[in-house]
Amino acid sequence: LASLYALILAKDDARWWYGFWIAFGLGVLTKLTALVILPLAVLFFIVYRVSPFAVKAFWRGGALFILITAPWWLYNIMLYRARGHFDFQLSALFGQPVPEWTVRLGRQMVGGLGDRLENFFHAWQRSSSLVWNGAALAGVCVGAYAAIFKRARKFVFLLGVLVIWLGWFLIIGSTYRFVVMMAPTLALLLAVVIDGTYMTYRTNMAYRVGMIVVGMVFFLLEAAYAANSFLLPRPYGRPIIHYAFVNEETQNLGFNQLGKYLEGRLAGKVTAAVGRPAYQFMVDLQNKRLAKKKQAGAEPLSLFIIYDQNINFIAGLWYLQRHLVYDAWPVMKDEKFLAITGAELDEYYRRQGIEHFIYIQAAAESVRRVPAERQNDGKKLEESLALRGVQPQQIKNRLGEVAFLVYEF
């Protein structure tokens, strides 16, 4: 939004080219999705007949863009020299074979072209209210009429932006977090429609009163919808009709509370039993991290973290496996732990110097994998702890529901 705002202002004031390139560069550095600004800028040049190529500020701003994005393109150059391929996203875009990335979960989840088109409409329906979708559709219809029959540049540009967004989603995938990026453009399109009708009927008192009433009702309905979707611990009513389906991505399931528990348990500590990931570059990063912690006076702790393999895969990566990747804490799924230790269980690792164990078990349905991916291997460890009289600590979510059981032994 900042780059497009600067682009519009640069049409009349060349100094804003610096703002455009700086905002664009920071956007690309944050996420490559910001590259969509390029076709949007080209569309603006065509619709408004802007030719910036003779403007010095345009090229100087471009030099700033290259400087700002240097960490990204230098990293890719060095990665290509060292490994023969670019980073995760670019290697996928250029079809580079990377043995370590044979499975690209994100790419697989977005599906093929037909899936992305279908998912776009599903994602949009689930992320917005029926009131907003109806208003946005009305704005698009009015805008299309004005663009086709009246050649109104504003509408040609805004509708073109929507078409480019749609094309972009067909490339990167139509997920919630991407599709909602169209909302500002639709809001602006609706605002232009309202402004146009107001300028036509502004002397009509009935119209002015009607617009105020409609605006207030619209605001109250959207405010209630947003509050029910995202502010209440548990929304009321039916999804899509009374609250946004995207609410499922903002629910507090208990993972945040589990994360706080582990952060508190590991605070001021450094692992005395190092867990190693598969790749050497991670080991080098771990060694630097461990050295830094020891210099800061962290207390050594011989701890092994085991967790229920039925815990949601993606959440398990962030809340559990990251302690292995970043800080070298031994972290393992119960399935693998039992396969290695057999009947000895924790005694196998105690002989190797491990003194403390944490076992994290999923207690709520909402934090587990889908039923088809679940296994019951962890029952053996749970039963053993129960026979020893080890009582679990409950980790509750924001609603007070038990999400996880944590055994320390």
Side-chain angles (χ1 to χ4, degrees):
L1 289 176
S3 59
L4 291 177
Y5 179 70
L7 174 66
I8 294 170
L9 294 178
K11 178 175 176 289
D12 300 313
D13 186 346
R15 292 175 298 179
W16 280 99
W17 285 119
Y18 296 110
F20 166 74
W21 285 112
I22 290 172
F24 185 21
L26 292 174
V28 169
L29 204 57
T30 303
K31 194 168 182 63
L32 286 182
T33 309
L35 288 173
V36 72
I37 294 170
L38 278 179
L40 294 180
V42 172
L43 174 67
F44 181 80
F45 296 158
I46 294 173
V47 172
Y48 287 96
R49 299 175 184 175
V50 175
S51 180
F53 305 109
V55 181
K56 292 181 179 179
F58 176 82
W59 297 105
R60 290 170 181 169
L64 280 176
F65 172 83
I66 295 173
L67 183 64
I68 291 170
T69 58
W72 169 66
W73 54 262
L74 281 175
Y75 163 73
N76 274 283
I77 290 174
M78 299 305 292
L79 181 61
Y80 187 84
R81 290 180 60 185
R83 305 289 295 178
H85 62 80
F86 295 120
D87 67 11
F88 189 84
Q89 298 295 347
L90 288 184
S91 64
L93 179 64
F94 294 125
Q96 295 176 325
V98 184
E100 293 83 0
W101 296 333
T102 53
V103 177
R104 299 175 185 263
L105 187 61
R107 292 287 89 197
Q108 292 176 357
M109 290 174 67
V110 300
L113 184 62
D115 296 320
R116 297 175 196 184
L117 182 60
E118 181 181 355
N119 290 340
F120 167 78
F121 294 102
H122 284 307
W124 186 258
Q125 179 192 33
R126 294 182 173 194
S127 61
S128 308
S129 71
L130 295 177
V131 173
W132 164 251
N133 286 339
L137 180 60
V140 169
C141 292
V142 173
Y145 174 84
I148 295 171
F149 296 103
K150 296 189 176 182
R151 308 292 184 184
R153 287 188 179 182
K154 291 180 181 179
F155 292 108
V156 171
F157 175 67
L158 291 173
L159 290 173
V161 170
L162 293 177
V163 171
I164 290 174
W165 272 123
L166 179 58
W168 195 247
F169 298 145
L170 295 180
I171 297 173
I172 65 175
S174 303
T175 59
Y176 290 142
R177 68 184 187 276
F178 292 148
V179 169
V180 294
M181 290 192 291
M182 291 181 68
T185 304
L186 287 168
L188 186 58
L189 177 62
L190 197 57
V192 173
V193 171
I194 293 172
D195 178 68
T197 56
Y198 175 78
M199 294 303 293
T200 303
Y201 301 103
R202 64 183 183 275
T203 57
N204 188 317
M205 182 58 67
Y207 169 82
R208 294 169 64 179
V209 173
M211 287 300 296
I212 292 174
V213 171
V214 170
M216 291 179 63
V217 171
F218 179 84
F219 174 80
L220 292 174
L221 288 174
E222 284 297 289
Y225 191 85
N228 191 35
S229 298
F230 305 111
L231 300 183
L232 298 183
R234 178 169 290 163
Y236 295 96
R238 297 171 58 187
I240 300 178
I241 297 176
H242 301 107
Y243 65 91
F245 208 100
V246 72
N247 163 274
E248 66 181 358
E249 295 199 356
T250 63
Q251 289 181 24
N252 186 298
L253 302 177
F255 287 107
N256 289 337
Q257 286 71 23
L258 176 63
K260 289 179 181 178
Y261 159 78
L262 286 173
E263 288 173 5
R265 187 69 176 80
L266 304 178
K269 304 290 193 302
V270 62
T271 182
V274 177
R276 292 304 192 189
Y279 304 114
Q280 183 60 40
F281 77 93
M282 290 187 178
V283 175
D284 297 336
L285 292 174
Q286 282 182 337
N287 290 336
K288 293 179 182 179
R289 176 76 169 170
L290 292 175
K292 187 175 181 180
K293 279 195 166 188
K294 291 175 181 177
Q295 289 176 0
E299 178 185 351
L301 176 64
S302 180
L303 174 68
F304 199 114
I305 301 173
I306 312 160
Y307 70 96
D308 187 349
Q309 79 93 27
N310 292 322
I311 289 176
N312 179 275
F313 172 72
I314 299 297
L317 284 178
W318 175 248
Y319 288 97
L320 298 163
Q321 286 290 338
R322 71 183 175 95
H323 292 292
L324 165 65
V325 175
Y326 294 154
D327 296 316
W329 291 101
V331 178
M332 188 181 293
K333 295 178 182 179
D334 55 8
E335 175 189 19
K336 186 175 181 180
F337 177 83
L338 291 168
I340 293 173
T341 63
E344 294 184 84
L345 298 178
D346 51 300
E347 288 301 323
Y348 176 88
Y349 284 106
R350 289 190 190 278
R351 291 201 307 272
Q352 301 178 40
I354 302 295
E355 299 175 358
H356 305 280
F357 292 82
I358 291 177
Y359 177 44
I360 301 168
Q361 189 177 50
E365 186 71 16
S366 57
V367 300
R368 294 190 176 104
R369 294 173 181 243
V370 295
E373 299 176 356
R374 296 178 190 171
Q375 297 182 20
N376 294 319
D377 293 349
K379 287 293 182 182
K380 182 178 178 181
L381 181 56
E382 179 188 1
E383 291 169 358
S384 171
L385 295 174
L387 289 174
R388 298 187 223 176
V390 179
Q391 295 298 315
Q393 175 183 340
Q394 295 180 343
I395 304 293
K396 298 181 179 180
N397 60 24
R398 191 173 60 180
L399 297 174
E401 301 167 339
V402 178
F404 299 95
L405 298 176
V406 177
Y407 296 85
E408 294 196 28
F409 57 101

